[in-house]
Amino acid sequence: MKPLLLSLALVSLGLQANADVTPQTLALHQRLLVLDSHLDTPLQLTRPGWDIDQRHDFHSDGSQVDLPRMREGGLDGGFFAIYTPQGPRDEAGLAQASAYGLATLQRIRDMIDRQPGQFALARNADDARRIAASGKRVVFISMENAEPLAADPGLLRTYQRQGLSMLGLVHFASNSFADSATALPEWQGLNDKGRALVREANRLGILLDVSHASDRVFDQVLALSSAPIVASHSSSRAVNAHPRNLDDQRLRQLAARGGVVQVTAYSDYLIPLTPNPERNKALAAFGARFRNIAALGPEQARELFAERAAIDRRYPQPRADLDVFMKHLLHVLDVVGPRHVGIGADWDGGGGVTGLEDVSQLPKVSQRLLDAGYSEEDLAAIWGGNLLRALQAAQDGARPGNPG
């Protein structure tokens, strides 16, 4: 997808970070349209002094995506997530969620507007291919946690007009629409507002995302949706029995309806963890401060990430590596085949494993897939083709003239 001279230069850069990847694989990887379905990089855009144009280092500031590393790792772009921390569902909490979501949307649009030579907004599959062929980075917009819509679900149309093309219903806690996979059931799946939101997303041609949703929500969305759905960052429950992962039966049901599961590199979902209440307490306190990262200066942000590292040292847990991530990816491929699988690593949102710490190292995944017997055609589908097909199907089913 990239111009030839640019691809050759990027192969040279990639050799420096991917010493165990052959030059032929690097060249192939750079030819492909490589998209990630869940980038939490808008969290970084809020940080004073943090510049996506500059190369950063995961070990010093925790970030995993920037323009130099995207080029080096052949990442053409993906879905930049409007993530809203779940707060109280009283009037003030709903107002805060609404304001937070719109502010994050504006940050994404500002990133594009300030750097029109580097980034471009994509609304559909053709946009993504055209933008990548021009050498720019593809910016789709998604939402993780629909709580910004709780006070006024009609805002979904506003978000769509501003570029939203994927909607994830829920996050770690249940919200005003649906139950979370990691919370006690409150609604037994979707509530009435959640069902209405699913129908409205279908009407507007917005791709529905069931990552973080409970099994009941998954089942109900799959039954209710008139278009294929995706799991933007989920892995295999057969490999690791975490409620955020999908079991083989649901993987097959998703694929049978034309959907795609985007395998994640979030370590806590990939391997069993030892229960540790003290660690959980420390992480909860850290998470409360992390929500305010937008207000922190560079030095304060470094201190915050140092605190996170200190928690890991004080309460150590095993960390997944690239082999474990590939075990999940290859299992999902075995279950549903290469036309229903993609990658949504959860970069800048907790994703990344040992050996795959940031986007500069993505060619390692292509090398592993080729070594496992998958073809260039398969890789093209996995790295972006399948996701774009699902998006196109959702948009083809839109009924914008129907009030719903």
Side-chain angles (χ1 to χ4, degrees):
M1 297 302 297
K2 307 172 185 71
L4 178 59
L5 290 178
L6 177 61
S7 291
L8 292 173
L10 293 173
V11 168
S12 178
L13 284 172
L15 284 167
Q16 302 170 29
N18 297 279
D20 50 351
V21 178
T22 68
Q24 294 79 10
T25 297
L26 282 169
L28 184 157
H29 183 86
Q30 290 289 352
R31 287 198 304 270
L32 299 174
L33 177 56
V34 177
L35 302 173
D36 190 287
S37 54
H38 191 78
L39 301 171
D40 272 313
T41 307
L43 288 169
Q44 306 295 344
L45 300 176
T46 68
R47 292 165 59 174
W50 194 90
D51 186 350
I52 197 169
D53 277 347
Q54 302 300 312
R55 185 185 179 91
H56 300 268
D57 179 69
F58 169 70
H59 298 289
S60 62
D61 74 358
S63 72
Q64 297 169 301
V65 180
D66 53 44
L67 193 55
R69 286 182 288 178
M70 291 176 81
R71 289 172 176 154
E72 190 175 307
L75 180 63
D76 290 293
F79 284 79
F80 285 68
I82 300 169
Y83 161 66
T84 303
Q86 184 61 47
R89 301 207 303 263
D90 55 19
E91 184 176 354
L94 297 186
Q96 172 65 19
S98 179
Y100 194 101
L102 290 169
T104 306
L105 170 66
Q106 189 59 55
R107 283 194 294 272
I108 298 170
R109 293 301 304 258
D110 285 349
M111 178 191 74
I112 299 167
D113 293 345
R114 286 196 303 268
Q115 300 163 100
Q118 307 293 349
F119 297 95
L121 177 67
R123 295 178 180 270
N124 54 50
D126 288 342
D127 284 348
R129 298 185 183 101
R130 172 181 52 79
I131 292 165
S134 76
K136 298 179 184 180
R137 301 299 117 174
V138 177
V139 181
F140 284 107
I141 299 176
S142 62
M143 180 178 288
E144 181 181 37
N145 187 12
E147 196 69 357
L149 308 174
D152 179 9
L155 279 174
L156 183 61
R157 291 186 290 276
T158 300
Y159 277 97
Q160 187 216 25
R161 287 193 293 269
Q162 293 298 313
L164 184 78
S165 51
M166 183 193 295
L167 174 63
L169 296 174
V170 68
H171 194 244
F172 281 135
S174 299
N175 65 9
S176 299
F177 300 98
D179 287 334
S180 169
T182 47
L184 293 174
E186 181 176 350
W187 308 112
Q188 309 308 314
L190 296 166
N191 61 18
D192 288 344
K193 288 181 68 173
R195 286 185 282 273
L197 189 63
V198 168
R199 288 191 290 266
E200 181 68 354
N202 282 164
R203 189 182 74 81
L204 294 173
I206 296 171
L207 183 62
L208 286 159
D209 170 19
V210 291
S211 284
H212 282 288
S214 71
D215 287 349
R216 285 186 175 180
V217 171
F218 176 100
D219 297 342
Q220 291 166 12
V221 172
L222 190 67
L224 182 61
S225 177
S226 59
I229 65 175
V230 300
S232 70
H233 55 306
S234 296
S235 288
S236 165
R237 198 176 296 178
V239 177
N240 183 48
H242 193 290
R244 267 286 282 111
N245 295 331
L246 295 176
D247 59 56
D248 287 357
Q249 179 182 354
R250 287 185 171 86
L251 289 174
R252 294 187 183 97
Q253 291 171 339
L254 184 74
R257 291 286 306 277
V260 184
V261 57
Q262 304 282 127
V263 178
T264 190
Y266 194 101
S267 180
D268 287 3
Y269 305 154
L270 302 182
I271 55 176
L273 299 180
T274 303
N276 190 324
E278 290 301 314
R279 174 184 168 87
N280 293 342
K281 182 178 178 181
L283 287 174
F286 169 84
R289 288 190 289 279
F290 186 82
R291 292 191 185 104
N292 296 321
I293 192 170
L296 301 181
E299 185 58 37
Q300 291 172 307
R302 280 191 289 271
E303 291 174 0
L304 189 65
F305 283 104
E307 177 186 338
R308 178 65 173 86
I311 293 172
D312 287 339
R313 289 193 299 271
R314 193 178 310 125
Y315 309 108
Q317 287 278 14
R319 181 167 175 79
D321 59 15
L322 179 57
D323 289 340
V324 172
F325 169 76
M326 290 304 305
K327 186 175 182 180
H328 281 264
L329 179 57
L330 293 173
H331 177 82
V332 176
L333 283 164
D334 284 344
V335 172
V336 297
R339 296 304 177 267
H340 296 282
V341 181
I343 294 172
D346 205 354
W347 299 119
D348 287 328
V353 295
T354 301
L356 190 68
E357 282 90 6
D358 65 25
V359 298
S360 71
Q361 298 172 317
L362 289 177
K364 294 180 180 180
V365 179
S366 286
Q367 185 68 64
R368 296 293 189 98
L369 289 170
L370 291 169
D371 292 346
Y374 289 95
S375 67
E376 179 173 348
E377 182 181 5
D378 294 333
L379 267 65
I382 293 164
W383 277 120
N386 296 332
L387 182 62
L388 293 181
R389 184 192 69 242
L391 175 64
Q392 188 65 56
Q395 293 176 343
D396 288 346
R399 303 177 302 280
N402 185 344

